[in-house]
Amino acid sequence: MKAEIITIGGELLDGSQVDLNAVYLGSRLTSLGAEVVRISSVPDAVDDIEEATSRALERADLVITTGGLGVTADDRTKQAVARLFGRKLVLDEGVLEKVRARFEARDVPMPEINIAVAMLPEGARSIENQRGTAPGLLFEKGEALLFVLPGVPVELRSMFESFVSPFLEGKGLRRLAQERLIRTTGLAESEIAERIEQLARRLARTDVVYLPSATGVDLKVIGRGQTSVEATKTAEKSQEKIAAKLGSYVYARGDESLEKVVGYLLSMGGSTLSVAESCTGGRVGWRLTRVPGSSDYFKGGVIAYSDDLKKRLLGVKASVLKKHGAVSSETALMMARGVREKCATDYGLAITGVAGPGGGTKTKPVGMVFAAVAGGAGERVRELRLGGGRGSIRRAACQGALELLRRFLLNIEEPG
């Protein structure tokens, strides 16, 4: 089944909003076994929406539009598809009753403008919106299907999972493609490609998609087959071979975050952790506490941005700061030791660096970061040279510190 996705909204074209819906729909349709042949964005104009939808229905078996179903002046998708199919907009009393009920549940009178939500193209099948007011629509044109869905991501996803996906499977679309994720950090996309390119070409019925970010590179392994079981086996076998090729740079085979992996390792060892942060300003602690149950192993930390606090709260010696500076392996190590002692934990993790955009020198440029871990079994320091803007450097610095800890806990050597 060939599929096209049309996302609607001027905000997608002028760069003021990232098109998350296209990413989600492309991934979900692929996992269902559809072949996504085109993704396009059009402005909130009836003519543009009608033309894009008409052409897509000529090329594809399945078309999904997102956006333009609300009650404001730029919500014109219903008018466009009604005109495309030569139908009038009529009031759907059932939909109107549900909209009224949503307002009544909040003890708020429904604004009259919301009646527009219940004006649907004649003969269209409405799709209940469990997370909002505007319903989705389903049209069947010959063998082709058109789903008209809202643009609010949480509403779109709820509607896709509760209605669209089961409907497509009922029409015979099956999961003939399965995805598996490999999460890596410490290798650039080009380095990963160099290591696995020949292997990837030899893997039958497998596609590998690179998903780089400031914190690492995820690999989406797509396995295909004549049945769902066969596709699953292909994806898992290919995932295993690729992960083996990348070795210790792989921190998860699935969507687990690095902080969740570190938390699991600490929990398995019955160990506790505290952190000392400078340039990251508490971001490492924030990531650790995003994991449910992290209070079992994470006890807290210190944000010591100034040299004075590094000395008073973490016990960093003035002589070390004077000789080596705040951004140094020596200071990072003393911070790790100090927070471990101050918080009485098994491990102390510390990070200090130059996040920019200013503050860099010839010997200590923007992007130079030191992370250190101290524990009863020893100590380890990592120097990072990071690029990008301040935000990217801070994100990558956190990832580098957590990866240092992961390797330390697993007794894996630092990359050469």
Side-chain angles (χ1 to χ4, degrees), residues 1 37 48 80-81 88 99 110 115 122 161 173 175 188 191-192 216 231 235 243 246 301 304 320 384 390 412-413:
M1 176 179 283
V37 295
D48 291 313
V81 294
K88 295 184 296 184
V99 174
M110 185 191 81
I115 293 176
E122 215 171 13
E161 300 302 335
L173 191 62
R175 296 178 180 271
E191 293 175 305
I192 292 176
L246 296 174
V320 170
L384 300 167
R390 182 178 178 84
I412 300 172
E413 290 185 5

Side-chain angles (χ1 to χ4, degrees), residues 58-77:
E58 293 172 1
R59 293 185 297 251
D61 311 298
L62 168 64
V63 177
I64 297 181
T65 73
T66 74
L69 292 181
V71 296
T72 59
D74 60 353
D75 290 317
R76 300 189 176 104
T77 303

